[in-house]
Each structure stands twice: as C-alpha cells, then as structure tokens.
Amino acid sequence: MTDEVEGSEVASVAVIDDHEAIQLAVRIWCEQADPPIPIHEGYGSTTEFLTAHPGAPPIAVIFDLEQSEHRPDFAGLKRAAAIGHRVIVYSHLAGDEVIMRCLELGAVTFILKSEDKSHLIDAVRAALLNEPYVGPRMAKAIFHDRSVGRPKLGPREQEVLIAWFQTESKDLVGQKLEISSTTVRTHLQRVRAKYAAVGRPAPTKSALVARAIQDGIISLDDL
Amino acid sequence: MTTTARQTDVSRRRLRFEVARISSAVRQWAILAAAIIELLAPTVGGTADTVLMIGLAAWATYRLSTRAQSSAAIAGDVAVVIVLGAALPFVTTAAAFATELNLPQATVAVSISTFGVQLAVSRSAATLLLGVGAYVWGAVTLVGWDSALLINNLLPITGGWIGAVVLRRAIERVASTSNQAHLDRLRAEIANAIAETRRNDDREQLALLHDTAAATLLLVGRAVPVPVERLAAQASRDLAVLQAPPVDDPSAPVDVVELLRAEIAHLDLPIDFTGLDHLWLDGARAGAVCAAAREALNNVDRHAAADSVIIYTGRNRLEITDDGRGIASGARRGHGVDESIIARMHRIGGSACLHSVPDIGTTVELQWADTDADEPVDLGDDLVRQVRSRYGLALIAAAVLLLPIAVWRSPAGGEVLEIGLAVAAALCALAAAPRVLHRPRWSVWVAAAALAGIAIVQKGTLDESQLGTYADWSQGLLGFCLLPHLIRLPAASSVAVLVTLWTTSSLVDLVRNPSLEMTAHLGMGIPAFLVPQIAACLFSARVWDALVDARRENRARLRLETNEAVAEALQSECIRRYSGTVDRLVPLLQTLSRGGPITDELRRQARTECRRLRTLFDESGVDTTLLSQRIQSLIGQAEQRGVDVTAHVDDDLPALQEDTAEHVLNHIDSALEHARTWARIVLTTANAEVDLSVVCDVSKESPSESQQPHRGVDVVVADDKMWMTLRAG
C-alpha cells in the first residue's frame, strides 16, 4: 500500500480503541476517503501500542482517551507524545478542561466521536503532514480558555474559533466573516501553532511550531 | 443532617472532662503529699495532728483510686478544705504561722485554685468563701486577730483562685467558638465530598454508556459499512455490560447491617440484632465482613441447633452469639470456619476468633481496624494554636503576678537586691512570650539556668534561720517562671526539668542546713508549688489530647451521617437519570445483537439515542436549567418531523430574563422550522450575554429573502445550509 502523502516524516497511522467496532469504522472511513489513508494497525490499549512502537519513527495515532478503565488515560497520552507520536485524541469526553489538558500533554488535535467523520479525516491528514489542525469542539475549548499563560489571540482569530465551533463549516464561517475558507483555515492553524508554543514542552509541540514557522503560518514575533 | 446542642459542644465537653480530672488529681496529690510530709516531720505533733493527717491521707488516697467526679465527691473535697482551714491550731504554731509555709495554707490554696479551674465561677467562689472563712477562723484561733498577717496569708489563696478562674474562662471561650468553626468546616468538606462523589458517579455511568452502547449506535446511525456480524457481536457485549449489576466500587459505603438482614431472610433461625442500627463500611470490608458472618450463620444453622442467635454490631466488631451445642475443645474445626471466616477477615486486615463452650453456646467475634482512627487528624488549625498560646500567656501572667506577692510577703522583701532578683525572674518568664507565640527552641535551657542562678543568689542573701520560710521565695516561685518555657516540651521532659530545678534549689538549702526540719519545710513546698507546677505541664499535653479526640469524634460522627446521605443520594439520582435511557437502549441493542435487520427506522432511532446521550453527557454535572428543558422540547418536536438535531448548551450560561429567554426560544423554533433533515443548536456564553447559533440544511425553495432579519439576528446562507446567529442578554 503506497503512502500517498509526500514530504512528511510520518509514514503510517494507527488506531487505539478498546471498542473493536470503532477501530473498524475508522479503518473504513479512512479507506473511503479521497485519497485513501492507510491504517497500519489497530490496538486495544495504549500499552499494546507502546509495546509495538516504543520509539522512533513516530507515527500518527488515533487515540481513544477513555479505554477500558472508563477514566481518561492522560498518562498514556503523555507517554506516547513524549516519544514523538502524533496523537489525535478521539473521544466522547467533551469537557473544556479535558481538551486543554490533552493539548498541554502534547496531543496534536482533539476530535469528538460525535463530530462528523470528515473532521477526523482532516485531522489525520494534517497529522501526517505535521500541519496544525483545530477540531470544532477543540476550537470552543480554546475560545473559552482563561488559563494563565495562554497565548494571545487576535480578535479575528477568536471570531473564527467560535464560528468554527458553531457551524463546523469553513464555508459558512468564511461567508459570515467575509473571508475565504482558506483564510479561515489559516487562522485556525495560527491559533493551533500559538498553542503549541506555550505550556509544558513536548516533542510533538515543538515539531508543530517549527513546521508552522517554516511554512510561514506564524512568525517568531507572534509567539 | 441534624445536630443537637450536645454534638456542637464536643470540644468543650472533652476539655471540661480533662480539666476536672487533672484538677481533682492535683488536689488529692497535694493533700496526700502534705499529709505524708507532716506525718514524717510534724511541726506540732500530737494525736490530733496525727489523726488528722492520717484521715487526710486516707481521703486523698480514696479519691485518687476512685477518681469520682460526682457532686458528693466534690462536696467531700470542699469539706476537707474547711477542715484544713479550721485545723490550723493543731497543725502549726503561732511562730511558724508568721514565718513559714504551713500545711493548711499550702493545701487550701491549691485546693481552692483547682476548684476555680474545675467548677463554675459561682460554685468555686462559694468554695473560696468557705475555705477562706475556715482559714480565718483557724488563724484567729491560733494567733488572734492580726489583719496584716491574715492578708499575707489570704493573698495567695485568693490570688490563686482568681488566676484559676481566668484560666478556665479563657479555655472555655476558645473551645466553644472554635468547635463550631471546626464543625462548620467539616460539614463543608463533607458536602464537597458528596458533590464530588456524585460527579464521579455520573461520569462513571456516562462513560459506561458511551463506551458501550453509544459507540455501537453511532456506527449504526451513520450507516458505516461495518459487517453485520461484527455489529451484532458488539451489541451483545454492550447488552451484557448494561444489564449487569452495578460494579462494586470498593470505596463506596455499604450498610453492613442492611446486608446482614437481607442475608438472614432465608435462614430459619431466630436472630436478634443489637448494637448499632447502621454500620457503614467501604465496599471491600463490608463484603468481607458479610461473607464471614454469612459463613458463621450457616454453621449455626447447620450444626448448632440453637434457640436464639444474637448479632451484636459495634464500630469495629461484629459478634454472633448462639446458645446451641457449642464446639468441644479439641474438635477439628471444619473447613468452613478456618478458611472462610478467618482468612476473609485477615485479608482485610482484621481478625476472627471463636469462643465456644459445649452445651452453652458459641460466639464468633469478627474485628477489623477502624480506619477513622488511623486518619491523621488535622492539628494545624487555629484552636490548638490559640489554646496553647493563651495558656502560655496565662502562665506568664501568673508567674509575673505571683512574684510581687511572694516578695512582699518575705521579711527581706523590701531590699533592692530582692526586688532586682524578682524582676530578673519575671523577665525570665516574659522571655517565654516569643516562644509561646512563635517557635524558637533554645530558651528553655537558658531560662532554666538563669532561674537556677537567681535561686542560688537569692538564697545566698538569706541567713540560715530564714531558709525554708517565706523569705525563701525563690524555692517555689521560680518553677512558675519556668513553666511558660516548658509547655512545648513533651510532658516527661518538662516534668524532669521542673523536678531538677526544684531539687537543685532544695539542695542549696539542705547543704546549709541538713536537718529533718529543713526537709520538712522544703517538703511542704511540694504540695504548694511543685505539684501544681507539674500539673500545669501535664495539663497542656492533656488538653492537646482532648482536642484531638474531640476532633476525631466530630469527624467520625459527621462521616457516619454523611455516608448515609451519600448512598441515598446516589441511589435516587441513578434511578432517575439512567434507567429511562437504559430501557430505551436495550431493545435497540437486542435487535442489533440478533443481526438486524438494520432498517432506516432503526438507524433513525440509533441517531436519536446517540443525540440524547450526547446531550446527557454535555449537561452532566449541571442542574438542567429551565431553558435547556424547553430547548429539549423544541428539539423533540423537530425530531417528530424527521429532523436530526444536536444541541450544545454551555455550562455557565448567565441567567436570562424571561423575555430574553422567550426571544431565544422563538428564534430556535423558527430556525428549526426551516430545517430539512438536520440542525445544530449552540448556546454559548459571551461576556454576560448569550450567543445563539443555529445551523441547518434548508431546501432550495426556502428563499433567503423571506428571512426578515430582526435586529441583532444574523443570517448567512451558503448552498443548502443556513446559519442564524443571535446575541441576547
């Protein structure tokens, strides 16, 4: 199965979910995507995954936050991110503090299981390319973030965040704010890059920031 | 949670109890010591004296051994004080009365001081009057009316009483106000714990639902082409989880008595429950205790042929007593007793033992550790610090007040050197103030050395005839100056230091005049000074213990009440929130587990349930507001028309005025009217206002011109989607 994505360091995608049906569903969605995304392997727990991928090369992993203990596995997330794996948290948990904690620990993005599958696909593609991505529910959590040490967001960025959460459609957001949907995407990417630059360090966060600077999404002055 | 006045006064009760015990003990020890010393080296001698002393010693010994606190005992003590005062003529001579400390003065002063601490002011004032009256009568009988001498003698008695009353007042006040504060704080903690438990339980339940049924239904609703067999297998697993009995949370509190009652329902034994009506233990221990008890009861049922069985429930024990055949000693204990009962109790850190007498009966005793007792009690709070510092300040004040009295009574007291030494001693006492209020540790040794030095110098200024008399004031007083320094030391160390100081200064006197008479003089100082000083040291340690106990009692009592409240709350919440949901999910899952068929209707139902679960999750932990409820009903109506609606309502929405809420709901309604197959409603907080957003798909015919944009309402249309936003507040 050829890897269709070019210019990225990450070559494969894995799924961690104790619910087999979800693993299967994700695999099917990725296969149905255009162009298809190959799912490398499915794992039932973080421990299984880390045993199989204890170090480099890093891979993108769709990570169910609540596995069998019915408690969020922040420790597992932290371990995976510390190795450099690009963790896309995929969860039914929707609390702002949970989402911000995941970002703090080094997850690249957070997608709710109840959001449309297109968000998951976009998130996976972005993770493969090491591009910043903001899911709709994640956008709301960032919008409401009042913690000390949070990055400064411009008024336009804040408008985009809340509108993205409300509509889950870049077209609608662009239409309302009278900007193109590409510009909407850029704003969201800027926000994500700014967040990657603050808080406790993690290899995934610094990689995201470096890539964002390289791509011109943000400049050092913005940080 | 009901509390009686009794409950709120735990600290005060405890303290009073300790205070009464110590005061009583000091009184009796002083009398006993004085009586013994007087018997060994009588000032006057004679049968009356001897008989009196023996009587006093006997009374003191009796009181010390019975430790009664009844009114009769106290009345007896008061009577003793009166006797002591009146017995002045028999115990001392006129000459000695003027110059040195005599037994009645020592014992009456100490007794009245202890009454001052132990009894209510009015009562101790009465004892003061009685004691003073008796003393004055005895003195007048002995030396005639000499007002100066009388005042000299009555000063320490009255002074001691005043000091005692002040001490009592101070401790009582602190105890009562802070006990309330402690209770309030405990209640708040416990209320938080209840809320926390509720939240955790909510999360657990929902996590369970989401992890199981919701995930499966999501796939069904979204028509993900997962093979039907896989879905069926998943649905079966989900059903098994949902229909299983609730997972035992090992820390959730369980009522052991209730469990036992349920257990015995099927046994044909006459069983009586005594002891506690409810016994709350965490799930793990409750399970073990119940299982062990069940085993014991089964044994009784099978082997004992008993006529009655009594189950006694204590805070950390359970006893099952039957009056059956008993087990002959030496008979092999069957597997049922050994493995099941004893091993189970061992596993939770408890124990089990069996007492049996053939033909009389058997008792099985189960015991477990009381974890409440192991819990470190919070000792850092204000009450203990306050009591300690006030106590220390009171001791300093007492020392500083006693010194002038002692110097004034001393015949050599007017001299500059005497006054200077007294001031030095007072300064030593005052030097404890920083120690009392803050925490440096070196002052004890410096102070002890300084006071020993002052004693040596002061005694050096006296001639031999003055040793052991009122002129020898440093003997007794310097211990009081050292007390404030000692209260932070452990009890044993502080007593040792005091005794050393006392012995040192006594030796200085004895070296100059090694006679029995001198020993007797010095000995009389023991009940008058040393015994109260030692008591003051021990008192501080006892007060600390009493407060810790009071804290523990508060905590245990409230915890008991709370466990009941928590379990009850959880029970009713659980039933309220989730049974309806589970009832709706089960048929869906059953269809899926049978392999379908997966019709459009089934998919629609699956989507609806997913949406409901999501809403349930979003609003978990928040009381459902009226607004949310009304939105839910609008959504319900839209769903009847076949529109899939998702809604997100922020936790911290500001309270809206009625007309604003109506405004919001009307717009939701009109937006939903336009929705064709799906809609998404989002209500978020924006400063003090509310942002409403509704996105839905619209049919092509729904012209955007027909939207009359109201003031503050924004409408955006793109392709087949319409987006309405509104800010209100």
Side-chain angles (χ1 to χ4, degrees):
Chain A
M1 211 164 303
T2 53
D3 185 0
E4 305 246 341
V5 186
E6 291 194 310
S8 76
E9 311 139 23
V10 165
S12 55
V13 184
V15 185
I16 306 175
D17 198 310
D18 61 328
H19 221 212
E20 246 190 59
I22 297 287
Q23 283 188 29
L24 193 55
V26 169
R27 194 185 286 274
I28 292 172
W29 287 333
C30 288
E31 279 167 11
Q32 288 178 342
D34 179 28
I37 302 169
I39 299 281
H40 177 68
E41 189 67 68
Y43 301 95
S45 72
T46 321
T47 324
E48 269 183 55
F49 167 72
L50 288 174
T51 318
H53 298 270
I59 69 170
V61 52
I62 301 168
F63 181 88
D64 174 22
L65 190 59
E66 278 211 349
Q67 294 161 25
S68 36
E69 287 88 41
H70 307 302
R71 285 193 203 327
D73 185 15
F74 289 121
L77 166 58
K78 188 169 158 184
R79 285 210 313 275
I83 296 172
H85 296 304
R86 304 206 189 132
V87 178
I88 301 160
V89 179
Y90 191 48
S91 170
H92 62 263
L93 282 171
D96 284 355
E97 62 285 351
V98 170
I99 297 173
M100 297 314 291
R101 181 126 183 244
C102 290
L103 293 186
E104 182 68 7
L105 292 175
V108 299
T109 197
F110 189 108
I111 303 288
L112 271 194
K113 279 183 177 159
S114 51
E115 285 169 348
D116 191 63
K117 66 183 193 236
S118 59
H119 298 297
L120 181 63
I121 302 297
D122 289 344
V124 173
R125 288 201 202 282
L128 286 170
L129 289 171
N130 199 23
E131 278 175 4
Y133 181 80
V134 177
R137 181 62 183 83
M138 189 176 146
K140 173 188 173 284
I142 293 177
F143 179 74
H144 278 164
D145 183 22
R146 293 284 168 267
S147 58
V148 176
R150 67 182 188 279
K152 237 179 116 19
L153 301 180
R156 192 54 129 184
E157 287 164 346
Q158 293 189 354
E159 282 174 346
V160 167
L161 278 175
I162 193 63
W164 176 230
F165 170 59
Q166 287 167 334
T167 61
E168 300 188 359
S169 155
K170 293 196 181 77
D171 291 328
L172 279 176
V173 175
Q175 189 149 351
K176 172 148 182 197
L177 299 178
E178 290 165 359
I179 50 178
S180 72
S181 55
T182 327
T183 317
V184 171
R185 196 181 84 147
T186 312
H187 279 301
L188 290 173
Q189 286 180 331
R190 282 172 61 87
V191 170
R192 181 69 189 91
K194 283 185 186 179
Y195 263 83
V198 301
R200 54 185 308 277
T204 44
K205 288 163 91 169
S206 24
L208 209 66
V209 174
R211 179 64 195 259
I213 294 177
Q214 194 185 351
D215 286 348
I217 296 172
I218 48 171
S219 68
L220 281 170
D221 302 329
D222 297 319
L223 298 176
Chain B
M1 223 176 290
T2 55
T3 49
T4 60
R6 201 177 134 254
Q7 282 174 327
T8 60
D9 247 346
V10 165
S11 283
R12 192 195 275 183
R13 260 192 312 122
R14 287 277 173 161
L15 268 180
R16 275 194 188 163
F17 182 70
E18 283 302 325
V19 162
R21 264 191 17 191
I22 294 174
S23 312
S24 193
V26 165
R27 204 160 46 239
Q28 311 313 333
W29 277 111
I31 293 177
L32 183 60
I36 289 175
I37 289 165
E38 185 65 23
L39 279 172
L40 290 175
T43 317
V44 169
T47 18
D49 190 14
T50 317
V51 165
L52 187 59
M53 290 309 119
I54 291 175
L56 284 175
W59 170 257
T61 316
Y62 164 72
R63 288 283 277 120
L64 280 172
S65 55
T66 61
R67 296 189 178 214
Q69 302 288 357
S70 61
S71 315
I74 293 178
D77 287 344
V78 175
V80 163
V81 167
I82 296 173
V83 163
L84 280 168
L88 255 178
F90 303 102
V91 175
T92 187
T93 61
F97 180 72
T99 55
E100 66 194 35
L101 189 61
N102 52 62
L103 180 144
Q105 176 169 83
T107 46
V108 167
V110 170
S111 298
I112 291 185
S113 299
T114 56
F115 284 133
V117 176
Q118 183 178 352
L119 303 175
V121 176
S122 47
R123 292 195 187 165
S124 63
T127 65
L128 174 70
L129 287 173
L130 286 170
V132 162
Y135 193 85
V136 166
W137 187 84
V140 165
T141 312
L142 181 63
V143 296
W145 186 264
D146 180 351
S147 44
L149 192 57
L150 268 178
I151 289 174
N152 228 354
N153 272 271
L154 290 178
L155 257 181
I157 296 178
T158 333
W161 178 79
I162 293 175
V165 166
V166 168
L167 183 67
R168 175 189 166 83
R169 269 265 149 86
I171 292 179
E172 289 248 322
R173 194 174 35 209
V174 171
S176 66
T177 55
S178 299
N179 190 55
Q180 190 55 45
H182 182 243
L183 272 179
D184 289 342
R185 212 190 47 181
L186 267 188
R187 283 207 196 94
E189 274 177 23
I190 282 167
N192 279 345
I194 296 180
E196 182 72 32
T197 314
R198 268 213 191 104
R199 277 196 295 272
N200 287 340
D201 199 69
D202 252 3
R203 267 201 289 270
E204 294 266 343
Q205 292 284 355
L206 282 168
L208 195 68
L209 282 174
H210 266 280
D211 250 12
T212 56
T216 313
L217 294 176
L218 195 83
L219 299 174
V220 169
R222 296 225 193 132
V224 181
V226 177
V228 176
E229 326 64 80
R230 300 286 281 273
L231 272 182
Q234 195 67 53
S236 309
R237 277 198 287 273
D238 293 343
L239 272 174
V241 169
L242 280 185
Q243 291 174 322
V247 176
D248 277 334
D249 179 5
S251 64
V254 171
D255 185 359
V256 173
V257 175
E258 280 303 311
L259 273 188
L260 283 178
R261 282 189 199 275
E263 291 284 343
I264 66 171
H266 70 277
L267 284 177
D268 190 20
L269 283 174
I271 299 186
D272 271 319
F273 279 86
T274 63
L276 296 174
D277 287 326
H278 297 282
L279 173 63
W280 290 92
L281 288 181
D282 54 86
R285 288 190 303 170
V289 168
C290 277
R294 191 188 312 134
E295 206 41 61
L297 288 168
N298 282 338
N299 286 341
V300 171
D301 194 22
R302 271 183 253 134
H303 306 300
D307 288 324
S308 86
V309 179
I310 298 181
I311 301 181
Y312 168 79
T313 335
R315 267 195 65 201
N316 358 350
R317 36 191 251 282
L318 194 78
E319 282 175 15
I320 301 169
T321 310
D322 70 80
D323 63 351
R325 271 192 220 124
I327 302 172
S329 62
R332 260 189 66 238
R333 292 205 300 237
H335 188 74
V337 175
D338 276 338
E339 158 55 26
S340 202
I341 301 181
I342 298 182
R344 275 180 207 272
M345 293 309 293
H346 270 297
R347 246 175 270 144
I348 58 163
S351 66
C353 49
L354 191 83
H355 309 286
S356 187
V357 181
D359 293 330
I360 303 288
T362 312
T363 303
V364 175
E365 195 178 300
L366 307 173
Q367 282 186 323
W368 56 90
D370 182 10
T371 51
D372 278 349
D374 296 340
E375 235 178 74
V377 177
D378 175 8
L379 297 176
D381 60 288
D382 291 336
L383 173 65
V384 182
R385 262 202 305 272
Q386 255 188 317
V387 168
R388 275 233 160 130
S389 66
R390 287 200 189 184
Y391 184 59
L393 287 173
L395 287 174
I396 295 174
V400 166
L401 284 172
L402 286 172
L403 278 168
I405 295 175
V407 170
W408 187 55
R409 284 179 2 145
S410 157
E415 289 174 31
V416 176
L417 181 59
E418 293 289 296
I419 294 176
L421 288 170
V423 167
L427 287 174
C428 280
L430 286 166
R435 180 176 168 77
V436 158
L437 297 174
H438 307 291
R439 283 181 197 244
R441 279 201 153 259
W442 44 263
S443 53
V444 175
W445 307 111
V446 174
L451 288 168
I454 294 174
I456 293 171
V457 170
Q458 199 269 327
K459 286 161 192 266
T461 68
L462 305 174
D463 10 290
E464 250 186 59
S465 59
Q466 286 177 310
L467 291 177
T469 65
Y470 286 140
D472 198 355
W473 55 263
S474 57
Q475 177 73 15
L477 263 296
L478 295 190
F480 285 112
C481 297
L482 188 59
L483 273 181
H485 294 273
L486 294 177
I487 56 170
R488 281 195 184 277
L489 291 183
S493 318
S494 49
V495 171
V497 174
L498 263 181
V499 170
T500 312
L501 182 64
W502 176 268
T503 320
T504 315
S505 44
S506 306
L507 280 175
V508 170
D509 280 353
L510 273 175
V511 156
R512 286 177 67 180
N513 181 4
S515 69
L516 190 60
E517 209 191 324
M518 175 66 16
T519 318
H521 289 158
L522 292 170
M524 201 46 66
I526 292 179
F529 301 114
L530 191 57
V531 167
Q533 287 163 6
I534 291 176
C537 283
L538 298 177
F539 181 66
S540 140
R542 304 295 277 184
V543 165
W544 178 270
D545 286 344
L547 290 174
V548 165
D549 274 347
R551 288 280 179 276
R552 209 168 267 145
E553 196 177 307
N554 278 345
R555 196 173 271 276
R557 190 192 308 271
L558 276 181
R559 174 148 301 150
L560 219 59
E561 290 172 10
T562 309
N563 285 340
E564 272 197 55
V566 167
E568 217 179 281
L570 285 182
Q571 195 81 323
S572 54
E573 292 251 339
C574 207
I575 293 174
R576 189 171 59 82
R577 271 162 96 73
Y578 302 112
S579 60
T581 306
V582 172
D583 287 343
R584 281 194 312 270
L585 290 177
V586 165
L588 276 180
L589 290 172
Q590 278 171 340
T591 313
L592 284 172
S593 67
R594 287 192 294 266
I598 302 181
T599 59
D600 281 339
E601 176 59 22
L602 191 70
R603 287 193 203 282
R604 199 192 61 77
Q605 280 180 344
R607 281 196 298 273
T608 311
E609 289 310 321
C610 276
R611 199 265 311 158
R612 285 211 184 108
L613 278 174
R614 187 179 171 192
T615 318
L616 203 63
F617 199 85
D618 271 356
E619 72 185 28
S620 74
V622 176
D623 298 290
T624 321
T625 60
L626 193 57
L627 187 63
S628 289
Q629 284 171 355
R630 291 166 76 180
I631 293 176
Q632 289 301 324
S633 73
L634 285 176
I635 292 177
Q637 290 166 22
E639 285 186 336
Q640 301 274 5
R641 294 195 304 268
V643 180
D644 257 337
V645 186
T646 58
H648 173 98
V649 178
D650 253 2
D651 283 351
D652 50 353
L653 272 193
L656 293 178
Q657 308 266 9
E658 180 58 34
D659 49 351
T660 323
E662 278 300 325
H663 188 55
V664 166
L665 287 165
N666 287 338
H667 278 94
I668 295 178
D669 200 15
S670 69
L672 286 178
E673 292 286 320
H674 288 82
R676 197 163 57 91
T677 60
W678 62 263
R680 176 175 160 78
I681 305 174
V682 173
L683 266 173
T684 48
T685 324
N687 300 324
E689 295 177 304
V690 163
D691 264 344
L692 168 69
S693 146
V694 183
V695 186
C696 58
D697 65 339
V698 292
S699 49
K700 293 287 193 240
E701 310 87 54
S702 179
S704 47
E705 298 89 51
S706 81
Q707 297 300 322
Q708 292 300 326
H710 300 161
R711 218 186 37 204
V713 178
D714 236 342
V715 177
V716 170
V717 179
D719 297 329
D720 61 342
K721 284 194 270 212
M722 180 186 84
W723 179 23
M724 182 209 77
T725 48
L726 159 70
R727 175 161 291 198

